[in-house]
Amino acid sequence: MTHSANDTIAPDRTVRLLDTTLRDGEQAPGVSLTPDEKVEIARSLERAGVSVIEAGSACTGAGERQAISRVTDLELDARVTSFCRGMESDIDLALECDVDGVHIVVPASDRHIEDKVGTSHEDNLEKTAELVAYAKDHDLWVEVIGEDGSRADLDYLEELMATAVDAGADRICFADTVGHTGPERTAEAVGRLADVGPVSAHTHDDLGLGVANALAAVSAGADLVHCTVNGLGERAGNVALEEVAIALSHVYDVETLDLTELYDLAQTVSRSTGVQLPPNKAVIGENAFTHESGIHTDGTLKDDKMYEPYEPETVGRERRLALGKHTGRAGVAATLEEHGVDAADDEIAEIANRVTELGDRGRRVTDADLLAIAEDVTGDDRERVVELLDLNATSGGAVPTASVRLEVDGEERVASGTGSGPVDAAVSAVREALGSMADAELDSYHVDAVTGGTDAVVTVEVTMIRNDRSVTVARSEADITRASVEAMVDALDRLLAADQQPLAPADD
């Protein structure tokens, strides 16, 4: 598919991605990764086919060096590197971690050379050459980053990077350290550096131009782009790996990694860092392939390319139809069909009207809401498979515990469980009561406070999957544990009823 009559990036270009989530991404406020988490993310990056993994800054401390060493011990196909300041001691510490290479950062702008480091332009050149030579003498792959390069004098930046290459650097990097510049300046700078040696681009998103600057850099000759998963990083973050990868693939037919791994990678990083994915985030946000508008839903059902630039499966996603005030009959009919509910045309019209009325009241309409409306409109009452009768949870002791009493196919079942918190303990108790047939997977779990003050009510929304069928349920309560358990039990009830299979006795 041709996207532009004047592509500036040829489809036969070789472009690779360097991921710095474990270093620059971890510098985002409130983010701190354990060695185990760094290992998990590194393995996910390897599965995706990332070429270079910057595992951290060895100079940070013993704990960081342990984490970097854990990553190097994985013997990944990706090159594993450490970030180094302009000091030989940083290179020595990186060597202790057995990394494949280092990124040596040296000041490039007058502000950084004179005010931050307090040196001269001439001494900066000399020091850069010495550092590169020292690293190469120790058999390291070396990239030199000109810090604040986007605000540097371009003649001096070119001289600095040429000095690094002459000293043996494997590549040089144009760094828009503070997200200061635009695509035109980026292309000019990178174009000049590409004549000096292999050049990389390190862009930040302070102006929302991270991807634009990365693509401008590639068009000007950069063949390696520094990214972070989900755009993590200081301030507004670094350019997002998933956005660069899909932009190069979709617009320019340049493949950098396995795109189908992007969503799982995003989820892994989100879970490890505690930074939730914004719903409207490109590629990996919840809304990226979700349709609520009646016009969009109808068009998408007729032609899945109608309102999507590429198939969700491209990046490991699935298309989703949401319910709300904008939902039309086509969306209602498709969702009912997905849940195995038959309804006549006039009934679908009435159900759609009620869904719109519910959405008009500011409610997000879940699958459970839709199915309840459908049951009322069609008169098709169903008996519950699972119902919560009683719940008790305590968290004051050393180990949070919970007990539940359920009615399952007319049989009362009681079970208890422990967990990392009262919600986790209660969910364990529910699973114990239901036994092996309750093999549903919790796909998402969201909590929102809907009122303030000491009598605050929370809404818990869960999406659960069983046998390739999913259902979303929301419940509001003053107690988060009860809201969570009620939502999960209702979701399980819907999933089990849809399968129309008798529930096996609870496991002993």
Side-chain angles (χ1 to χ4, degrees), residues 69 92 103 112 132 173 205 214 233 249 262 278 317 335 360 382 426 465:
S69 296
D92 291 335
H103 309 276
H112 279 242
V132 172
C173 180
D205 210 33
S249 174
L262 288 179
R317 302 291 304 276
T335 306
D360 279 335
R382 71 173 184 90
I465 300 174

Side-chain angles (χ1 to χ4, degrees), residues 251-270:
V251 181
Y252 302 103
D253 295 320
V254 172
E255 303 303 328
T256 56
L257 43 69
D258 183 353
L259 299 177
T260 62
E261 293 288 339
L262 288 179
Y263 187 59
D264 283 347
L265 178 58
Q267 294 280 41
T268 296
V269 170
S270 177

